[in-house]
Amino acid sequence: TVLQHSAFSQDRPYPFVHKEYFHKPIFENGQIRVLNVSASRGDTTAFHRHCYPILYITLKGTMVSLKEPSSKWKEVELPAGWIGHDLYQNDSCYVHRFAISGDGNLHIVAIEALEELPL
């Protein structure tokens, strides 16, 4: 995973990821929520929290700056085709924000598991 998980918070006033402006819900059925994440050079998200396991699929990648509430900005490359996941939990949400620092746009499809899926 690209992120280091040191900014966990359940009781802070940060919005859930699906309420953050650059993360648009496009499907939800009670078990999963699909988010369309789209941002351009110079765009910066608000701090937001991730509280469910999530799968990321990068359709269009670029350089991104990441920041947790009590840390410095960190530069990472999210290339097209990058697939990643994080196993967040309701009782220890991960809080961060990102800014597009590369020349291109970022387009990610993210799938949150809202409840444990039967195998």
Side-chain angles (χ1 to χ4, degrees):
T1 181
V2 173
L3 304 175
Q4 295 217 339
H5 307 298
S6 62
F8 291 93
S9 173
Q10 181 60 21
D11 53 10
R12 299 251 177 130
Y14 302 115
F16 290 106
V17 63
H18 68 281
K19 300 287 187 178
E20 199 284 323
Y21 176 79
F22 292 98
H23 298 76
K24 306 287 186 199
I26 57 174
F27 175 81
E28 183 173 336
N29 69 3
Q31 292 181 314
I32 65 168
R33 179 185 298 123
V34 180
L35 304 171
N36 183 47
V37 183
S38 183
S40 302
R41 180 169 175 79
D43 287 342
T44 302
T45 68
F47 278 109
H48 55 276
R49 57 187 163 147
H50 294 263
C51 300
Y52 296 102
I54 193 165
L55 171 71
Y56 304 98
I57 304 166
T58 305
L59 303 178
K60 185 168 185 172
T62 191
M63 291 299 293
V64 176
S65 298
L66 302 170
K67 183 172 186 350
E68 297 169 353
S70 61
S71 69
K72 296 180 182 181
W73 288 96
K74 176 183 172 184
E75 290 285 316
V76 299
E77 181 176 3
L78 292 179
W82 179 81
I83 298 172
H85 71 281
D86 289 300
L87 299 175
Y88 306 121
Q89 301 296 323
N90 261 340
D91 60 351
S92 60
C93 301
Y94 175 71
V95 176
H96 79 130
R97 70 189 306 184
F98 70 80
I100 305 303
S101 54
D103 291 330
N105 298 332
L106 180 68
H107 187 191
I108 293 174
V109 173
I111 304 166
E112 289 183 292
L114 303 178
E115 62 180 51
E116 192 169 322
L117 299 172
L119 297 176

